[in-house]
Amino acid sequence: MKTLLGISAVALVSVLLSSSFSVSAEPIPADKIATLREAPLNVEPTPPAMQKVINSDVKEVRNYPMQPPVIPHKIDGYQVNLKVNKCMSCHDRSRTGDSQAPMVSVTHYMDRENNFLATLSPRRYFCTQCHVPQLDAKLLVPNDFVDMDTLIKADINKEAKH
Amino acid sequence: MIAKLLATLKKVWVVLRKPSVHYSLGFLTLGGFIAGVIFWGGFNTALSVSNTEAFCISCHEMENNVYQEMQSTIHFTNRSGVRATCPDCHVPHNWTDKIARKMQASKEVWGKVFGTINTPEKFEAKRRELAEHEWARLKANDSLECRNCHNFDYMDFTRQSPRAAAMHSTSLASGEKTCIDCHKGIAHHLPDMQGVEGW
């Protein structure tokens, strides 16, 4: 009985949450939800044209302070494996003088106990786990992310009205 | 002493002057000329055959390692359809340098035939050393082979990415650095770069 109550409470809360946060943006058409392939399984469709990677070298604003910054340039053929890390040939502390690239943040030199290391922490070695270049592509799924500054501003405005 | 030398010279002259018993002088001259042409032509043909990509990758260590790796790079396929083949980057155009490089490459073939680099593992183990030869060569000739295709004078910085333009208009333009200083691994995977300047 108790578990049943618990489950229904959770269900109720989630229904409430989803209705209050429901997105108003235009959804994907129903016939495209199952697949974006748009061809029968036994047919090899012509792939869409490849999108160009943004190569402007202009920093993109982060959506929240902890966001790993996105890469503002091409990384085609950049080798990152056990032998070499091409990214670090510019972004390493000792390389930033020549390259004028931003240094990887200090967290990249810390292990998980927050001890500082002399070199890049192994858990931060593979850059593209967190950092990726961007395409100038049309969004497939609408994104209704709201920046927290906007939320705070909206809140202040609301309070001012009352 | 001088008399003896003169005597020998005279003997040689006599032999040279004696008409050939079996062949006419005309035949000999012409024959010599043709033989010369064939020999020289053959040498240069062998040289130019061995200067094609097909020859370079006819040996498996090249086909399975470096050639495979090159196929995903810009020098294999690109929007302009201009391809850089192995000799474009690895064999100097100038004749004496070409011969010198060929002799050096023969050493690598020797290594192949007699087993120093006959497996991918051995190739990997040797790769740093081989790469260092190429870096040293390109550094010494100011990346001549790159410049055969990429002419600095015709680089339009306004059409390059800001990063590229910033580097090319400073370190490269001042002659402080050359292409290979910054573009290592442009056509193949890099070996372990521990201790290489700039890595």
Side-chain angles (χ1 to χ4, degrees), chain B residues 147-192:
Chain B
R147 289 176 196 265
N148 283 339
C149 289
H150 298 270
N151 193 322
F152 176 77
D153 293 336
Y154 300 110
M155 269 190 186
D156 181 349
F157 294 152
T158 62
R159 288 184 176 271
Q160 291 187 350
S161 66
R163 261 184 326 150
M167 289 294 161
H168 295 157
S169 61
T170 54
S171 303
L172 178 64
S174 69
E176 181 195 327
K177 293 234 168 92
T178 183
C179 317
I180 200 63
D181 286 326
C182 300
H183 290 293
K184 292 192 175 70
I186 186 73
H188 318 288
H189 293 182
L190 285 167
D192 191 333

mmCIF file of all heavy atoms in Angstrom, chain B residues 147-192:
data_model
loop_
_atom_site.group_PDB
_atom_site.id
_atom_site.type_symbol
_atom_site.label_atom_id
_atom_site.label_comp_id
_atom_site.label_asym_id
_atom_site.label_seq_id
_atom_site.Cartn_x
_atom_site.Cartn_y
_atom_site.Cartn_z
ATOM 1 N N ARG B 147 56.443 24.435 -50.956
ATOM 2 C CA ARG B 147 56.404 25.690 -51.704
ATOM 3 C C ARG B 147 56.309 25.471 -53.208
ATOM 4 O O ARG B 147 55.950 26.390 -53.942
ATOM 5 C CB ARG B 147 57.636 26.539 -51.372
ATOM 6 C CG ARG B 147 57.596 27.105 -49.967
ATOM 7 C CD ARG B 147 58.883 27.861 -49.676
ATOM 8 N NE ARG B 147 59.059 28.104 -48.247
ATOM 9 C CZ ARG B 147 58.686 29.224 -47.641
ATOM 10 N NH1 ARG B 147 58.112 30.184 -48.317
ATOM 11 N NH2 ARG B 147 58.889 29.364 -46.348
ATOM 12 N N ASN B 148 56.664 24.264 -53.687
ATOM 13 C CA ASN B 148 56.468 23.985 -55.108
ATOM 14 C C ASN B 148 54.997 24.147 -55.473
ATOM 15 O O ASN B 148 54.670 24.454 -56.612
ATOM 16 C CB ASN B 148 56.919 22.559 -55.448
ATOM 17 C CG ASN B 148 58.433 22.467 -55.532
ATOM 18 O OD1 ASN B 148 59.109 23.469 -55.728
ATOM 19 N ND2 ASN B 148 58.955 21.257 -55.384
ATOM 20 N N CYS B 149 54.114 23.881 -54.538
ATOM 21 C CA CYS B 149 52.684 24.052 -54.810
ATOM 22 C C CYS B 149 52.105 25.279 -54.104
ATOM 23 O O CYS B 149 51.264 25.966 -54.649
ATOM 24 C CB CYS B 149 51.896 22.837 -54.361
ATOM 25 S SG CYS B 149 52.159 21.389 -55.354
ATOM 26 N N HIS B 150 52.510 25.505 -52.875
ATOM 27 C CA HIS B 150 51.961 26.634 -52.100
ATOM 28 C C HIS B 150 52.959 27.775 -52.141
ATOM 29 O O HIS B 150 53.979 27.727 -51.460
ATOM 30 C CB HIS B 150 51.785 26.252 -50.626
ATOM 31 C CG HIS B 150 50.837 25.143 -50.374
ATOM 32 N ND1 HIS B 150 49.498 25.335 -50.155
ATOM 33 C CD2 HIS B 150 51.025 23.804 -50.275
ATOM 34 C CE1 HIS B 150 48.905 24.180 -49.919
ATOM 35 N NE2 HIS B 150 49.810 23.233 -49.994
ATOM 36 N N ASN B 151 52.679 28.778 -52.927
ATOM 37 C CA ASN B 151 53.617 29.872 -53.035
ATOM 38 C C ASN B 151 53.232 30.990 -52.071
ATOM 39 O O ASN B 151 52.156 31.574 -52.174
ATOM 40 C CB ASN B 151 53.624 30.385 -54.476
ATOM 41 C CG ASN B 151 54.794 31.313 -54.726
ATOM 42 O OD1 ASN B 151 55.157 32.099 -53.857
ATOM 43 N ND2 ASN B 151 55.376 31.219 -55.905
ATOM 44 N N PHE B 152 54.142 31.281 -51.155
ATOM 45 C CA PHE B 152 53.851 32.296 -50.138
ATOM 46 C C PHE B 152 53.444 33.625 -50.771
ATOM 47 O O PHE B 152 52.535 34.297 -50.301
ATOM 48 C CB PHE B 152 55.071 32.493 -49.227
ATOM 49 C CG PHE B 152 54.884 33.582 -48.214
ATOM 50 C CD1 PHE B 152 54.124 33.359 -47.083
ATOM 51 C CD2 PHE B 152 55.447 34.839 -48.401
ATOM 52 C CE1 PHE B 152 53.927 34.365 -46.147
ATOM 53 C CE2 PHE B 152 55.252 35.847 -47.470
ATOM 54 C CZ PHE B 152 54.487 35.605 -46.350
ATOM 55 N N ASP B 153 54.132 33.991 -51.870
ATOM 56 C CA ASP B 153 53.858 35.286 -52.502
ATOM 57 C C ASP B 153 52.417 35.423 -52.981
ATOM 58 O O ASP B 153 51.919 36.523 -53.145
ATOM 59 C CB ASP B 153 54.786 35.498 -53.706
ATOM 60 C CG ASP B 153 56.229 35.650 -53.254
ATOM 61 O OD1 ASP B 153 56.430 36.035 -52.090
ATOM 62 O OD2 ASP B 153 57.141 35.363 -54.053
ATOM 63 N N TYR B 154 51.780 34.292 -53.241
ATOM 64 C CA TYR B 154 50.415 34.368 -53.760
ATOM 65 C C TYR B 154 49.379 33.991 -52.713
ATOM 66 O O TYR B 154 48.226 33.750 -53.032
ATOM 67 C CB TYR B 154 50.284 33.493 -55.015
ATOM 68 C CG TYR B 154 51.228 33.936 -56.090
ATOM 69 C CD1 TYR B 154 52.315 33.165 -56.457
ATOM 70 C CD2 TYR B 154 51.058 35.181 -56.688
ATOM 71 C CE1 TYR B 154 53.205 33.601 -57.418
ATOM 72 C CE2 TYR B 154 51.942 35.624 -57.648
ATOM 73 C CZ TYR B 154 53.020 34.835 -58.014
ATOM 74 O OH TYR B 154 53.909 35.284 -58.950
ATOM 75 N N MET B 155 49.795 33.882 -51.470
ATOM 76 C CA MET B 155 48.829 33.599 -50.401
ATOM 77 C C MET B 155 48.030 34.855 -50.121
ATOM 78 O O MET B 155 48.607 35.919 -49.879
ATOM 79 C CB MET B 155 49.553 33.201 -49.111
ATOM 80 C CG MET B 155 49.784 31.737 -48.965
ATOM 81 S SD MET B 155 50.357 31.405 -47.291
ATOM 82 C CE MET B 155 50.717 29.658 -47.456
ATOM 83 N N ASP B 156 46.705 34.730 -50.173
ATOM 84 C CA ASP B 156 45.842 35.862 -49.879
ATOM 85 C C ASP B 156 45.357 35.710 -48.438
ATOM 86 O O ASP B 156 44.475 34.906 -48.153
ATOM 87 C CB ASP B 156 44.664 35.867 -50.866
ATOM 88 C CG ASP B 156 43.738 37.042 -50.640
ATOM 89 O OD1 ASP B 156 43.881 37.722 -49.601
ATOM 90 O OD2 ASP B 156 42.874 37.267 -51.498
ATOM 91 N N PHE B 157 45.978 36.470 -47.541
ATOM 92 C CA PHE B 157 45.649 36.331 -46.118
ATOM 93 C C PHE B 157 44.178 36.619 -45.853
ATOM 94 O O PHE B 157 43.590 36.061 -44.942
ATOM 95 C CB PHE B 157 46.510 37.249 -45.265
ATOM 96 C CG PHE B 157 47.969 36.880 -45.277
ATOM 97 C CD1 PHE B 157 48.942 37.835 -45.069
ATOM 98 C CD2 PHE B 157 48.356 35.562 -45.487
ATOM 99 C CE1 PHE B 157 50.284 37.487 -45.079
ATOM 100 C CE2 PHE B 157 49.691 35.202 -45.510
ATOM 101 C CZ PHE B 157 50.661 36.173 -45.307
ATOM 102 N N THR B 158 43.589 37.508 -46.654
ATOM 103 C CA THR B 158 42.198 37.858 -46.379
ATOM 104 C C THR B 158 41.276 36.676 -46.658
ATOM 105 O O THR B 158 40.140 36.653 -46.232
ATOM 106 C CB THR B 158 41.743 39.045 -47.243
ATOM 107 O OG1 THR B 158 41.818 38.659 -48.616
ATOM 108 C CG2 THR B 158 42.591 40.265 -47.000
ATOM 109 N N ARG B 159 41.779 35.701 -47.404
ATOM 110 C CA ARG B 159 40.946 34.531 -47.682
ATOM 111 C C ARG B 159 41.280 33.361 -46.763
ATOM 112 O O ARG B 159 40.744 32.273 -46.915
ATOM 113 C CB ARG B 159 41.108 34.095 -49.134
ATOM 114 C CG ARG B 159 40.454 35.060 -50.074
ATOM 115 C CD ARG B 159 40.540 34.578 -51.500
ATOM 116 N NE ARG B 159 39.815 35.486 -52.374
ATOM 117 C CZ ARG B 159 38.528 35.365 -52.645
ATOM 118 N NH1 ARG B 159 37.839 34.369 -52.150
ATOM 119 N NH2 ARG B 159 37.927 36.231 -53.428
ATOM 120 N N GLN B 160 42.210 33.576 -45.854
ATOM 121 C CA GLN B 160 42.547 32.505 -44.924
ATOM 122 C C GLN B 160 41.774 32.694 -43.629
ATOM 123 O O GLN B 160 41.268 33.778 -43.350
ATOM 124 C CB GLN B 160 44.049 32.516 -44.638
ATOM 125 C CG GLN B 160 44.862 32.100 -45.845
ATOM 126 C CD GLN B 160 46.331 31.938 -45.533
ATOM 127 O OE1 GLN B 160 46.796 32.317 -44.459
ATOM 128 N NE2 GLN B 160 47.062 31.376 -46.462
ATOM 129 N N SER B 161 41.726 31.625 -42.850
ATOM 130 C CA SER B 161 41.080 31.761 -41.553
ATOM 131 C C SER B 161 41.930 32.708 -40.707
ATOM 132 O O SER B 161 43.140 32.806 -40.922
ATOM 133 C CB SER B 161 40.975 30.393 -40.887
ATOM 134 O OG SER B 161 42.257 29.910 -40.580
ATOM 135 N N PRO B 162 41.315 33.403 -39.742
ATOM 136 C CA PRO B 162 42.098 34.358 -38.935
ATOM 137 C C PRO B 162 43.323 33.726 -38.296
ATOM 138 O O PRO B 162 44.391 34.333 -38.238
ATOM 139 C CB PRO B 162 41.098 34.813 -37.863
ATOM 140 C CG PRO B 162 39.760 34.616 -38.485
ATOM 141 C CD PRO B 162 39.891 33.435 -39.397
ATOM 142 N N ARG B 163 43.190 32.480 -37.836
ATOM 143 C CA ARG B 163 44.334 31.813 -37.207
ATOM 144 C C ARG B 163 45.472 31.652 -38.201
ATOM 145 O O ARG B 163 46.628 31.916 -37.914
ATOM 146 C CB ARG B 163 43.916 30.399 -36.779
ATOM 147 C CG ARG B 163 43.575 30.269 -35.363
ATOM 148 C CD ARG B 163 43.275 28.829 -34.976
ATOM 149 N NE ARG B 163 42.632 28.034 -36.007
ATOM 150 C CZ ARG B 163 42.789 26.736 -36.137
ATOM 151 N NH1 ARG B 163 43.580 26.085 -35.333
ATOM 152 N NH2 ARG B 163 42.152 26.068 -37.073
ATOM 153 N N ALA B 164 45.104 31.158 -39.388
ATOM 154 C CA ALA B 164 46.120 30.918 -40.410
ATOM 155 C C ALA B 164 46.781 32.233 -40.806
ATOM 156 O O ALA B 164 48.010 32.326 -40.874
ATOM 157 C CB ALA B 164 45.480 30.237 -41.611
ATOM 158 N N ALA B 165 45.954 33.256 -41.037
ATOM 159 C CA ALA B 165 46.501 34.539 -41.463
ATOM 160 C C ALA B 165 47.429 35.117 -40.394
ATOM 161 O O ALA B 165 48.493 35.657 -40.709
ATOM 162 C CB ALA B 165 45.368 35.515 -41.764
ATOM 163 N N ALA B 166 47.040 34.980 -39.128
ATOM 164 C CA ALA B 166 47.856 35.525 -38.049
ATOM 165 C C ALA B 166 49.232 34.868 -38.038
ATOM 166 O O ALA B 166 50.256 35.548 -37.889
ATOM 167 C CB ALA B 166 47.165 35.314 -36.703
ATOM 168 N N MET B 167 49.265 33.556 -38.217
ATOM 169 C CA MET B 167 50.540 32.838 -38.187
ATOM 170 C C MET B 167 51.360 33.113 -39.440
ATOM 171 O O MET B 167 52.564 33.326 -39.383
ATOM 172 C CB MET B 167 50.287 31.326 -38.080
ATOM 173 C CG MET B 167 49.778 30.907 -36.736
ATOM 174 S SD MET B 167 51.060 31.206 -35.511
ATOM 175 C CE MET B 167 50.126 31.200 -34.013
ATOM 176 N N HIS B 168 50.696 33.097 -40.589
ATOM 177 C CA HIS B 168 51.428 33.243 -41.849
ATOM 178 C C HIS B 168 51.970 34.654 -42.037
ATOM 179 O O HIS B 168 53.005 34.841 -42.664
ATOM 180 C CB HIS B 168 50.530 32.870 -43.035
ATOM 181 C CG HIS B 168 50.142 31.420 -43.035
ATOM 182 N ND1 HIS B 168 49.033 30.935 -43.674
ATOM 183 C CD2 HIS B 168 50.715 30.345 -42.453
ATOM 184 C CE1 HIS B 168 48.940 29.639 -43.495
ATOM 185 N NE2 HIS B 168 49.952 29.251 -42.746
ATOM 186 N N SER B 169 51.252 35.639 -41.492
ATOM 187 C CA SER B 169 51.719 37.011 -41.714
ATOM 188 C C SER B 169 52.785 37.405 -40.704
ATOM 189 O O SER B 169 53.395 38.462 -40.831
ATOM 190 C CB SER B 169 50.543 37.986 -41.642
ATOM 191 O OG SER B 169 49.956 37.917 -40.371
ATOM 192 N N THR B 170 53.018 36.578 -39.699
ATOM 193 C CA THR B 170 54.054 36.911 -38.713
ATOM 194 C C THR B 170 55.254 35.974 -38.808
ATOM 195 O O THR B 170 56.211 36.247 -39.529
ATOM 196 C CB THR B 170 53.468 36.886 -37.296
ATOM 197 O OG1 THR B 170 52.831 35.625 -37.084
ATOM 198 C CG2 THR B 170 52.457 37.988 -37.093
ATOM 199 N N SER B 171 55.163 34.825 -38.158
ATOM 200 C CA SER B 171 56.320 33.919 -38.077
ATOM 201 C C SER B 171 56.787 33.450 -39.447
ATOM 202 O O SER B 171 57.982 33.317 -39.698
ATOM 203 C CB SER B 171 55.973 32.695 -37.250
ATOM 204 O OG SER B 171 55.541 33.067 -35.992
ATOM 205 N N LEU B 172 55.822 33.173 -40.341
ATOM 206 C CA LEU B 172 56.210 32.672 -41.662
ATOM 207 C C LEU B 172 56.782 33.798 -42.507
ATOM 208 O O LEU B 172 57.834 33.645 -43.136
ATOM 209 C CB LEU B 172 54.995 32.034 -42.357
ATOM 210 C CG LEU B 172 55.240 31.505 -43.768
ATOM 211 C CD1 LEU B 172 56.248 30.356 -43.745
ATOM 212 C CD2 LEU B 172 53.952 31.042 -44.417
ATOM 213 N N ALA B 173 56.093 34.940 -42.497
ATOM 214 C CA ALA B 173 56.521 36.059 -43.333
ATOM 215 C C ALA B 173 57.913 36.536 -42.938
ATOM 216 O O ALA B 173 58.720 36.909 -43.780
ATOM 217 C CB ALA B 173 55.518 37.203 -43.219
ATOM 218 N N SER B 174 58.222 36.502 -41.640
ATOM 219 C CA SER B 174 59.513 36.997 -41.189
ATOM 220 C C SER B 174 60.629 35.985 -41.436
ATOM 221 O O SER B 174 61.794 36.269 -41.214
ATOM 222 C CB SER B 174 59.446 37.312 -39.697
ATOM 223 O OG SER B 174 59.317 36.107 -38.978
ATOM 224 N N GLY B 175 60.258 34.772 -41.866
ATOM 225 C CA GLY B 175 61.267 33.759 -42.139
ATOM 226 C C GLY B 175 61.756 33.045 -40.890
ATOM 227 O O GLY B 175 62.649 32.213 -40.940
ATOM 228 N N GLU B 176 61.117 33.359 -39.768
ATOM 229 C CA GLU B 176 61.530 32.756 -38.511
ATOM 230 C C GLU B 176 61.134 31.268 -38.480
ATOM 231 O O GLU B 176 61.819 30.436 -37.909
ATOM 232 C CB GLU B 176 60.820 33.526 -37.398
ATOM 233 C CG GLU B 176 61.107 33.118 -35.997
ATOM 234 C CD GLU B 176 60.048 33.730 -35.068
ATOM 235 O OE1 GLU B 176 59.558 34.861 -35.357
ATOM 236 O OE2 GLU B 176 59.710 33.076 -34.095
ATOM 237 N N LYS B 177 60.004 30.968 -39.135
ATOM 238 C CA LYS B 177 59.529 29.580 -39.164
ATOM 239 C C LYS B 177 59.252 29.190 -40.610
ATOM 240 O O LYS B 177 59.001 30.034 -41.472
ATOM 241 C CB LYS B 177 58.224 29.471 -38.370
ATOM 242 C CG LYS B 177 58.399 29.706 -36.884
ATOM 243 C CD LYS B 177 57.827 28.528 -36.096
ATOM 244 C CE LYS B 177 58.226 28.554 -34.638
ATOM 245 N NZ LYS B 177 57.239 29.254 -33.814
ATOM 246 N N THR B 178 59.272 27.887 -40.859
ATOM 247 C CA THR B 178 58.918 27.400 -42.186
ATOM 248 C C THR B 178 57.746 26.429 -42.059
ATOM 249 O O THR B 178 57.408 26.006 -40.954
ATOM 250 C CB THR B 178 60.141 26.760 -42.870
ATOM 251 O OG1 THR B 178 59.762 26.356 -44.178
ATOM 252 C CG2 THR B 178 60.651 25.560 -42.094
ATOM 253 N N CYS B 179 57.138 26.105 -43.196
ATOM 254 C CA CYS B 179 55.891 25.326 -43.183
ATOM 255 C C CYS B 179 55.947 24.125 -42.226
ATOM 256 O O CYS B 179 55.030 23.902 -41.447
ATOM 257 C CB CYS B 179 55.553 24.811 -44.576
ATOM 258 S SG CYS B 179 55.800 26.002 -45.898
ATOM 259 N N ILE B 180 57.027 23.369 -42.306
ATOM 260 C CA ILE B 180 57.072 22.115 -41.552
ATOM 261 C C ILE B 180 57.157 22.353 -40.041
ATOM 262 O O ILE B 180 56.803 21.491 -39.249
ATOM 263 C CB ILE B 180 58.234 21.216 -42.056
ATOM 264 C CG1 ILE B 180 58.005 19.759 -41.640
ATOM 265 C CG2 ILE B 180 59.590 21.705 -41.586
ATOM 266 C CD1 ILE B 180 56.765 19.134 -42.232
ATOM 267 N N ASP B 181 57.577 23.545 -39.624
ATOM 268 C CA ASP B 181 57.602 23.845 -38.188
ATOM 269 C C ASP B 181 56.198 23.773 -37.610
ATOM 270 O O ASP B 181 56.007 23.378 -36.459
ATOM 271 C CB ASP B 181 58.163 25.247 -37.939
ATOM 272 C CG ASP B 181 59.673 25.292 -38.138
ATOM 273 O OD1 ASP B 181 60.325 24.285 -37.828
ATOM 274 O OD2 ASP B 181 60.178 26.326 -38.613
ATOM 275 N N CYS B 182 55.220 24.215 -38.366
ATOM 276 C CA CYS B 182 53.857 24.277 -37.850
ATOM 277 C C CYS B 182 52.948 23.194 -38.429
ATOM 278 O O CYS B 182 51.909 22.896 -37.859
ATOM 279 C CB CYS B 182 53.227 25.623 -38.160
ATOM 280 S SG CYS B 182 54.109 27.017 -37.452
ATOM 281 N N HIS B 183 53.302 22.635 -39.574
ATOM 282 C CA HIS B 183 52.385 21.690 -40.224
ATOM 283 C C HIS B 183 52.906 20.262 -40.213
ATOM 284 O O HIS B 183 52.788 19.542 -41.197
ATOM 285 C CB HIS B 183 52.092 22.139 -41.653
ATOM 286 C CG HIS B 183 51.256 23.376 -41.737
ATOM 287 N ND1 HIS B 183 49.941 23.401 -41.337
ATOM 288 C CD2 HIS B 183 51.545 24.629 -42.159
ATOM 289 C CE1 HIS B 183 49.456 24.629 -41.527
ATOM 290 N NE2 HIS B 183 50.407 25.398 -42.006
ATOM 291 N N LYS B 184 53.483 19.843 -39.121
ATOM 292 C CA LYS B 184 53.898 18.441 -39.022
ATOM 293 C C LYS B 184 52.658 17.559 -39.041
ATOM 294 O O LYS B 184 51.613 17.945 -38.529
ATOM 295 C CB LYS B 184 54.674 18.216 -37.724
ATOM 296 C CG LYS B 184 56.014 18.907 -37.703
ATOM 297 C CD LYS B 184 56.862 18.417 -36.529
ATOM 298 C CE LYS B 184 58.247 18.999 -36.554
ATOM 299 N NZ LYS B 184 58.291 20.431 -36.243
ATOM 300 N N GLY B 185 52.799 16.393 -39.638
ATOM 301 C CA GLY B 185 51.668 15.466 -39.671
ATOM 302 C C GLY B 185 50.604 15.895 -40.662
ATOM 303 O O GLY B 185 49.460 15.489 -40.543
ATOM 304 N N ILE B 186 50.977 16.678 -41.661
ATOM 305 C CA ILE B 186 50.001 17.174 -42.632
ATOM 306 C C ILE B 186 49.468 16.030 -43.498
ATOM 307 O O ILE B 186 48.332 16.084 -43.954
ATOM 308 C CB ILE B 186 50.620 18.302 -43.493
ATOM 309 C CG1 ILE B 186 49.572 18.949 -44.412
ATOM 310 C CG2 ILE B 186 51.788 17.819 -44.334
ATOM 311 C CD1 ILE B 186 48.599 19.810 -43.712
ATOM 312 N N ALA B 187 50.262 14.982 -43.700
ATOM 313 C CA ALA B 187 49.806 13.912 -44.597
ATOM 314 C C ALA B 187 49.734 12.537 -43.949
ATOM 315 O O ALA B 187 49.168 11.615 -44.518
ATOM 316 C CB ALA B 187 50.709 13.849 -45.831
ATOM 317 N N HIS B 188 50.336 12.389 -42.785
ATOM 318 C CA HIS B 188 50.326 11.073 -42.133
ATOM 319 C C HIS B 188 50.081 11.228 -40.640
ATOM 320 O O HIS B 188 50.169 12.309 -40.105
ATOM 321 C CB HIS B 188 51.673 10.360 -42.302
ATOM 322 C CG HIS B 188 52.263 10.495 -43.659
ATOM 323 N ND1 HIS B 188 51.747 9.842 -44.741
ATOM 324 C CD2 HIS B 188 53.313 11.216 -44.119
ATOM 325 C CE1 HIS B 188 52.451 10.148 -45.813
ATOM 326 N NE2 HIS B 188 53.412 10.989 -45.462
ATOM 327 N N HIS B 189 49.843 10.088 -39.988
ATOM 328 C CA HIS B 189 49.731 10.127 -38.530
ATOM 329 C C HIS B 189 51.098 10.444 -37.940
ATOM 330 O O HIS B 189 52.117 10.042 -38.497
ATOM 331 C CB HIS B 189 49.251 8.780 -37.996
ATOM 332 C CG HIS B 189 47.840 8.475 -38.399
ATOM 333 N ND1 HIS B 189 47.194 7.345 -38.001
ATOM 334 C CD2 HIS B 189 46.968 9.167 -39.152
ATOM 335 C CE1 HIS B 189 45.972 7.355 -38.503
ATOM 336 N NE2 HIS B 189 45.815 8.452 -39.211
ATOM 337 N N LEU B 190 51.083 11.113 -36.816
ATOM 338 C CA LEU B 190 52.344 11.472 -36.194
ATOM 339 C C LEU B 190 52.817 10.374 -35.250
ATOM 340 O O LEU B 190 52.004 9.651 -34.671
ATOM 341 C CB LEU B 190 52.169 12.773 -35.405
ATOM 342 C CG LEU B 190 52.078 14.048 -36.233
ATOM 343 C CD1 LEU B 190 51.597 15.199 -35.376
ATOM 344 C CD2 LEU B 190 53.432 14.381 -36.848
ATOM 345 N N PRO B 191 54.129 10.269 -35.083
ATOM 346 C CA PRO B 191 54.644 9.365 -34.051
ATOM 347 C C PRO B 191 54.525 10.038 -32.688
ATOM 348 O O PRO B 191 54.023 11.159 -32.596
ATOM 349 C CB PRO B 191 56.104 9.204 -34.456
ATOM 350 C CG PRO B 191 56.444 10.493 -35.126
ATOM 351 C CD PRO B 191 55.186 10.963 -35.806
ATOM 352 N N ASP B 192 54.988 9.396 -31.646
ATOM 353 C CA ASP B 192 55.028 10.021 -30.325
ATOM 354 C C ASP B 192 55.880 11.281 -30.411
ATOM 355 O O ASP B 192 57.028 11.231 -30.839
ATOM 356 C CB ASP B 192 55.654 9.031 -29.324
ATOM 357 C CG ASP B 192 55.478 9.518 -27.898
ATOM 358 O OD1 ASP B 192 55.376 10.751 -27.701
ATOM 359 O OD2 ASP B 192 55.439 8.688 -26.994
#
